[in-house]
Amino acid sequence: EAGVVQSPRYKIIEKKQPVAFWCNPISGHNTLYWYRQNLGQGPELLIRYENEEAVDDSQLPKDRFSAERLKGVDSTLKIQPAELGDSAVYLCASSSPLKTQYFGPGTRLLVL
Amino acid sequence: GQNIDQPTEMTATEGAIVQINCTYQTSGFNGLFWYQQHAGEAPTFLSYNVLDGLEEKGRFSSFLSRSKGYSYLLLKELQMKDSASYLCAVRENSGNTPLVFGKGTRLSVIA
């Protein structure tokens, strides 16, 4: 069974540029999470989807971040415009009801 | 508020046993998870405790005391490949609520 797939694995952009990350969860997992992990820290939730509905986005900086999961399967996370402080690893995770979360490899973003 | 504490770094010798502690103060509790994360890689699931006591899985064991807000991860017969960060995480509510993570403990296994 394939795990959570994310792309790209690495991204380097200049500040004020837009950037997008893509995630394909494990097949059959209804719940999808986007986390951000700064160096030396644990992951912090940005947004959680149940199927196509965003049910927990209180930690998402909505002035510059947006996310979608239109068909309830894969998801994209966008930052526009990016700031220096957005440099981090963006992790996608998925789970089936009441089960363990499984993480993708992450996208390592560097904003210059 | 949420507070999950674990040591920042630990060093142990190959073949030895190491215990990584985690204390938590959260608004709710519906399970405690341990993940392993190698540098530059995704967290991978190690263990899950929701009831008090010890869960054993091969060389790894995890313990939970809900009354004390305390857990530990025990790694036996350490191998060099066990060098990684170990993340303690709490699920506060039922359902598919997101995990609240500690900052992780970076374990170095030396010869």
Side-chain angles (χ1 to χ4, degrees), chain A residues 54-75:
Chain A
V55 296
D56 187 350
D57 63 355
S58 58
Q59 302 302 312
L60 190 72
K62 298 182 183 62
D63 57 335
R64 297 183 299 106
F65 286 63
S66 63
E68 60 183 18
R69 193 186 185 199
L70 295 176
K71 297 182 179 179
V73 180
D74 56 340
S75 174

Side-chain angles (χ1 to χ4, degrees), chain A residues 88-101:
Chain A
V89 177
Y90 291 82
L91 293 165
C92 179
S94 70
S95 68
S96 54
L98 305 180
K99 298 296 184 182
T100 302
Q101 293 181 30

Side-chain angles (χ1 to χ4, degrees), chain B residues 48-90:
Chain B
Y48 167 65
N49 295 71
V50 67
L51 299 176
D52 291 351
L54 188 68
E55 294 284 340
E56 297 186 78
K57 189 185 294 185
R59 294 190 299 115
F60 293 3
S61 303
S62 57
F63 172 83
L64 175 67
S65 170
R66 289 172 295 171
S67 62
K68 296 181 179 178
Y70 167 69
S71 173
Y72 67 72
L73 180 69
L74 193 71
L75 292 76
K76 303 175 185 176
E77 301 171 12
L78 280 173
Q79 302 175 9
M80 301 299 283
K81 67 178 181 179
D82 297 329
S83 294
S85 285
Y86 291 86
L87 298 165
C88 174
V90 171

